[in-house]
């Protein structure tokens, strides 16, 4: 197959040459007036992007890595979007300005629209870029930008400065008019689309800030936006304010209230956003606190194991009913949610390996179904005792076929490891045996972590899922849509055991891809770890990276399939 990066690399070389000529051919520039940084929020210390705007909503403010202060910009570059973040400011005509900033990543650019730019590649440390330009004879505004390059990975930027005199003589102090006619143009269970009439300004409107209640949630340059990551069946009230290059902000637009659609995916397909919650590890949080903060409705409860004699128990030791796990499940259901128990996992005494037959295993699973009136069960098939044992695979699949037949409407899920290109030998055998046994599995969920994902966790996760889709197509004779509808993704938030890093921005990309392909299930390991601890390593009760508390759960709640 041809290298999919080839097209981007050819474009990259062409642009590098053009940039080199532009910078190298610059003539000596006249001196500036007294220098001052005319950018707003140059070091992102506000904790938000405004007044910066980023293409594809791919920019975010992070706490690590930073150059100075406590915050920096992160751009989540994709194959088709260079995650350009820009800011428009007022400038004086026929005046020299110097643009500089600290950047980190592969092929990071700093420049001004219609003028000079420069770039560097510094994947492991911040490096300073600087370029000068002179405004035109009648120019009163300039748009500066920073961006990465297609398919070259995430970049970071910090402490960006545009040194020179501010525009507008004594300074523009007139705010734009308030936007009018704010209305909702569409909604899903996790997003609301908005549009409004443009505001006016004595110099020019440079952007619009969208608010949900009192919280600014998005900044855009046009007169429409889609706010994503919302909770199903929830009422939101939105307003919009305009701003100009001098930082003047208008009054709020009219307010519009919108209730998102119900979750659960709709239609006839099975859709489930269900991160793992483990009551036996990692300072288990209150599930209702997490639900209230994020809008999540489902949890995957870990793990049902064998307490001896093919008898199910939580972790193999906590009672099936009457303990902490049942208390958590009761609380989740009282708050309008539900659970899917996960059987197995990486270690411990597993029912799949220990039960003497498929019938005995089906009986053990049935005890859990009866105890909780379950709608779905997940078999987490891992390690040499289950995943790499084809006889045990067949036992598990046959047991699932039995409980599915005995419990009409029950959904069955199998979860297993993967390579970066799709199922491994044993993953392929699991799928092939599911077909030959007629197990009628609803969801085949891969775990794209600890799989050599390296620095491109988004790209390798998508590649693994596409490989799974192709295997399901060839094995079952399904079309693409049907194959995607039988796929699940179960990631690992933050730092993995192999030091792979999945950031909130990357997880958002994965969720958006999952929604665009209408897959069946999105999960991650684990809600217990969905708390910040930058530099904390791989631990049970936090992610090892900088993030907001419950941020991955909130992103996952936006999965609708």
């Amino acid at each position: 197959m041809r290298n999919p990066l080839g097209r981007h690399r050819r474009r990259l070389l062409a642009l590098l040459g053009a940039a080199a000529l532009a910078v190298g051919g610059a003539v000596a520039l006249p001196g500036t007036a007294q220098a001052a940084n005319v950018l707003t929020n140059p070091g992102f210390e506000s904790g938000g992007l405004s007044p910066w705007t980023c293409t594809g909503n791919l920019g975010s403010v992070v706490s690590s890595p930073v150059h100075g202060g406590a915050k920096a910009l992160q751009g989540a570059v994709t194959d088709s979007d260079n995650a350009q973040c820009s800011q428009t400011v007022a400038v004086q005509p026929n005046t020299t300005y110097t643009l500089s900033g600290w950047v980190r990543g592969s092929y990071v650019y700093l420049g001004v629209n219609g003028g000079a730019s420069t770039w560097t590649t510094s994947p492991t440390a911040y490096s300073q870029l600087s370029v000068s330009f002179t405004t035109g004879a009648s120019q009163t505004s300039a748009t500066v930008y920073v961006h990465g390059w297609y398919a070259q990975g995430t970049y970071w930027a910090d402490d960006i400065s545009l040194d020179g005199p501010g525009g507008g003589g004594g300074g523009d102090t007139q705010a734009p008019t308030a936007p009018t006619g704010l209305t909702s143009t569409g909604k899903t269970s996790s997003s609301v689309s908005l549009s409004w009439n443009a505001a006016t300004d004595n110099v020019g409107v440079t952007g619009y800030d969208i608010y949900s209640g009192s919280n600014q949630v998005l900044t855009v340059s046009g007169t429409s936006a889609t706010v994503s990551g919302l909770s199903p069946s929830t009422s939101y009230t939105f307003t919009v304010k305009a701003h100009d290059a001098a930082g003047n902000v208008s009054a709020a637009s009219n307010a519009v209230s919108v209730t998102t659609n119900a979750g659960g995916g709709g239609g006839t397909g099975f859709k489930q956003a269900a991160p793992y919650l483990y009551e036996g590890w990692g300072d288990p949080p209150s599930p209702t606190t997490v639900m209230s903060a994020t809008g999540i409705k489902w949890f995957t409860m870990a793990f049902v194991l064998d307490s001896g004699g093919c008898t199910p128990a939580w972790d193999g030791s906590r009672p099936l009913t009457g303990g902490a796990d049942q208390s958590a499940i009761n609380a989740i259901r009282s708050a309008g949610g539900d659970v899917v128990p996960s059987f197995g996992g990486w270690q411990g005494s597993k029912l799949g390996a220990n039960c003497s037959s498929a019938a005995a295993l089906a009986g053990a699973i049935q005890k859990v179904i009866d105890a909780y009136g379950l709608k779905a069960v997940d078999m987490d098939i891992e390690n040499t005792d289950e995943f790499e044992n084809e006889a045990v695979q067949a036992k598990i699949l046959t047991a699932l076929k039995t409980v599915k037949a005995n419990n009409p409407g029950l959904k069955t899920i199998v979860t297993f490891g993967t390579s970066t290109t799709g199922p491994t030998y044993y993953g392929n055998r699991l799928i092939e045996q599911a077909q030959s046994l007629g197990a009628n599995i609803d969801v085949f969920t891969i775990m794209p972590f600890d799989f050599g994902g390296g620095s491109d966790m988004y790209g390798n996760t998508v590649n693994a899922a596409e490989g799974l889709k192709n295997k399901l197509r060839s094995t079952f004779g399904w079309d693409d849509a049907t194959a995607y509808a039988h796929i699940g993704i179960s990631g690992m938030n933050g730092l993995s055991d192999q030091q792979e890093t999945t950031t909130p921005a990357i997880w958002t990309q994965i969720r958006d891809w999952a929604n665009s392909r209408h897959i069946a299930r999105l999960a991650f390991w684990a809600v217990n770890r969905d708390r910040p601890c930058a530099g904390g390593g791989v631990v049970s009760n936090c992610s090892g990276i900088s993030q907001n508390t419950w941020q991955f759960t909130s992103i996952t709640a936006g999965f609708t399939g």
Side-chain angles (χ1 to χ4, degrees), residues 275-286 300-303 314-315 317-318 324-325 347 449 491-493 495 497 524-531 537-543 550:
Y276 281 81
L277 177 64
Y278 195 3
E279 288 298 310
W281 171 89
D283 299 333
S286 161
T300 303
M301 298 294 292
F303 286 104
W314 294 105
D315 246 6
S317 58
R318 298 190 305 278
D325 301 86
Q347 61 188 8
F449 59 89
M492 185 169 181
N493 58 307
L495 200 63
D497 305 285
F524 69 87
W525 179 259
V527 176
N528 307 62
R529 302 180 67 248
D530 196 9
R531 295 175 272 214
V538 184
V539 291
S540 63
N541 61 355
C542 57
S543 64
W550 319 134

Side-chain angles (χ1 to χ4, degrees), residues 93-370:
N94 196 33
T95 302
T96 298
Y97 290 82
T98 298
L99 175 64
S100 64
W102 292 85
V103 299
R104 174 176 171 175
S106 297
Y107 303 107
V108 188
Y109 290 75
L110 185 71
V112 58
N113 280 1
S117 67
T118 185
W119 64 276
T120 190
T121 180
S122 182
T124 60
Y126 275 97
S127 178
Q128 188 175 31
L129 291 174
S130 182
V131 64
S132 295
F133 64 94
T134 299
T135 55
S138 59
Q139 185 176 350
T140 58
S141 68
T143 299
V144 299
Y145 62 81
V146 60
H147 66 72
W149 193 250
Y150 304 95
Q152 297 302 305
T154 299
Y155 74 86
W156 295 267
D158 201 0
D159 300 326
I160 302 174
S161 176
L162 181 61
D163 287 332
D172 174 21
T173 60
Q174 182 174 329
T177 62
T180 60
L182 177 64
T183 187
S184 171
T185 58
K187 62 178 181 174
T188 69
S189 62
S190 62
S191 67
V192 171
S193 296
L194 303 167
S195 68
W196 56 91
N197 299 323
T200 60
D201 185 64
N202 63 314
V203 176
V205 173
T206 57
Y208 296 89
D209 302 320
I210 295 91
Y211 289 80
S212 174
S214 60
N215 298 318
Q216 183 182 329
V217 293
L218 195 62
T219 297
V220 297
S221 57
T223 56
S224 64
T226 296
V227 182
S228 59
L230 306 179
S231 301
S233 303
T234 302
S235 178
Y236 294 88
T237 299
F238 298 99
T239 54
V240 177
K241 297 179 182 180
H243 62 256
D244 61 19
N248 301 305
V249 180
S250 77
S253 69
N254 60 293
V256 60
S257 294
V258 185
T259 299
T260 51
N261 295 337
T268 59
F270 174 65
K271 309 293 179 183
Q272 187 183 76
Y276 281 81
L277 177 64
Y278 195 3
E279 288 298 310
W281 171 89
D283 299 333
S286 161
T288 54
T289 297
V290 177
M291 294 171 75
S292 177
T294 66
I296 200 71
K297 294 296 184 183
W298 280 81
F299 293 93
T300 303
M301 298 294 292
F303 286 104
V304 178
L305 296 173
D306 182 17
S307 63
C310 192
T311 302
W314 294 105
D315 246 6
S317 58
R318 298 190 305 278
L320 183 60
T321 58
D325 301 86
Q326 181 168 19
S327 295
I329 292 170
N330 290 347
I332 291 165
R333 287 178 166 173
S334 294
D338 213 337
V339 301
V340 50
S342 184
F343 295 73
W346 177 255
Q347 61 188 8
S349 183
K350 304 172 192 176
L351 292 163
N354 292 349
C355 292
S356 60
S357 65
L361 176 58
I365 297 170
Q366 189 66 50
K367 289 179 182 178
V368 186
I369 295 171
D370 292 341

